[in-house]
DNA sequence: GCTTGACCTGGAGCGCGCTCCAGGTTCTAC
DNA sequence: GTAGAACCTGGAGCGCGCTCCAGGTCAAGC
């Protein structure tokens, strides 16, 4: 039986801000901005006041990045982070937010696919225009 | 044989800016901004200097809206509009732009779908958390 | 003719999501 | 101990895509 759980009181490995920049692709400034904005709870510091990120911080950042990439605003991410900070009692609210975000996202994906199809048609039109020049060029 | 072509010298019907606002969903200010930015060629005016849009203007605006909805920047739309203004010789360039835009768009759609799937997983996680409270809540 | 609402212009302002800066502190390697 | 890199803070600035404003002109209905 291997030990899968972290040892209690074992010093958890931490990451400097530069390491988090490397792993997430976020900039130093964005990481500080997210912290200042309350998207991420105040990260632990060394005695010299330098940030040290835990694996859990990284996982949360990666989740935030996913929310951002799917078009969630900073304001909504702030709401979500605030709910999360209030603990398990807010799980239903968080679930509702995620479900709504997912519904929006899927609708946006559908709209993009419709637009992509229309773009395909426009491209076909231009291709025909190249083959048979002199036809009308409405656009 | 019905006459499918517009009669030469027939007064083409025109639209006021308010009518174009209604049909496109763009605001007065956005329409003026697009014209100032060169996205749309200077629209015809009445003797009193008020804009009158032609059906072709509307079609072009609708195309611009599609480009915008698929994430094209104003700067790229300006490039496209400029090529269009230079005439048929630029069709190959326009086609290249549209093909590249389509490739970007399809990649973004794929990324969104991946993120949507991950969001589904996260929602499943929260749903299980609601059913069996007390489990770990990593996020 | 008058009123009222639609329209015109140039330019300033705004909300978003960062990004940059100045000036100082801390850490690491030698 | 020291140099140089990494890090800290508050706050200003920026690029994008509009949006608003002031101060005027024009048009349609009575």
């Amino acid at each position: 039986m291997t030990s899968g759980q972290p040892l209690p009181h074992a010093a958890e490995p931490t990451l400097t801000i530069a390491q988090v920049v490397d792993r997430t692709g976020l900039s130093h400034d964005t990481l500080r901005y997210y912290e200042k904005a309350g998207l991420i709870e105040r990260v632990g510091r060394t005695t010299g006041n330098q940030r040290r990120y835990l694996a859990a911080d990284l996982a949360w950042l990666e989740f935030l990045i996913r929310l951002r990439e799917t078009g969630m605003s900073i304001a909504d991410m702030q709401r979500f982070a605030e709910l999360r900070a209030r603990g398990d009692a807010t799980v239903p609210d968080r679930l509702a937010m995620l479900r709504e975000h997912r519904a929006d996202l899927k609708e946006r994906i559908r709209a993009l696919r419709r637009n992509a199809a229309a773009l395909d048609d426009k491209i076909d039109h231009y291709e025909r225009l190249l083959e048979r020049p002199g036809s009308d060029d409405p656009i």
Side-chain angles (χ1 to χ4, degrees), chain A:
Chain A
M1 234 212 239
T2 63
S3 163
Q5 302 125 47
L7 299 174
H9 304 112
E12 250 193 275
T14 60
L15 297 168
T16 65
I17 196 168
Q19 288 169 320
V20 175
V21 166
D22 283 349
R23 278 165 180 69
T24 61
L26 300 175
S27 71
H28 292 71
D29 278 321
T30 299
L31 284 167
R32 295 185 190 120
Y33 167 70
Y34 280 9
E35 191 176 334
K36 206 187 304 190
L39 292 190
I40 154 169
E41 289 179 72
R42 187 176 162 82
V43 171
R45 311 285 161 132
T46 64
T47 54
N49 198 36
Q50 297 198 354
R51 289 172 178 81
R52 290 297 179 270
Y53 293 80
L54 299 174
D57 294 324
L58 198 62
W60 172 243
L61 280 169
E62 278 160 359
F63 181 61
L64 288 179
I65 289 169
R66 200 178 294 288
L67 293 180
R68 181 189 67 173
E69 283 177 350
T70 51
M72 186 178 284
S73 67
I74 296 279
D76 281 352
M77 287 193 269
Q78 284 171 331
R79 288 210 308 124
F80 193 92
E82 198 187 321
L83 289 173
R84 174 174 178 257
R86 300 221 309 262
D88 281 356
T90 65
V91 165
D93 299 305
R94 284 182 267 166
L95 184 53
M97 276 194 77
L98 291 186
R99 280 176 171 153
E100 191 178 335
H101 182 59
R102 175 174 63 178
D104 287 354
L105 173 58
K106 293 197 170 173
E107 180 50 39
R108 274 185 295 118
I109 290 172
R110 275 192 294 277
L112 284 179
R113 286 160 68 82
R114 279 195 303 274
N115 278 326
L119 193 54
D120 286 341
D121 290 346
K122 186 64 67 182
I123 286 171
D124 287 349
H125 164 77
Y126 269 109
E127 283 168 346
R128 282 192 302 272
L129 214 57
L130 271 187
E131 283 162 22
R132 305 183 271 92
S135 351
D136 279 353
D137 181 11
I139 286 185

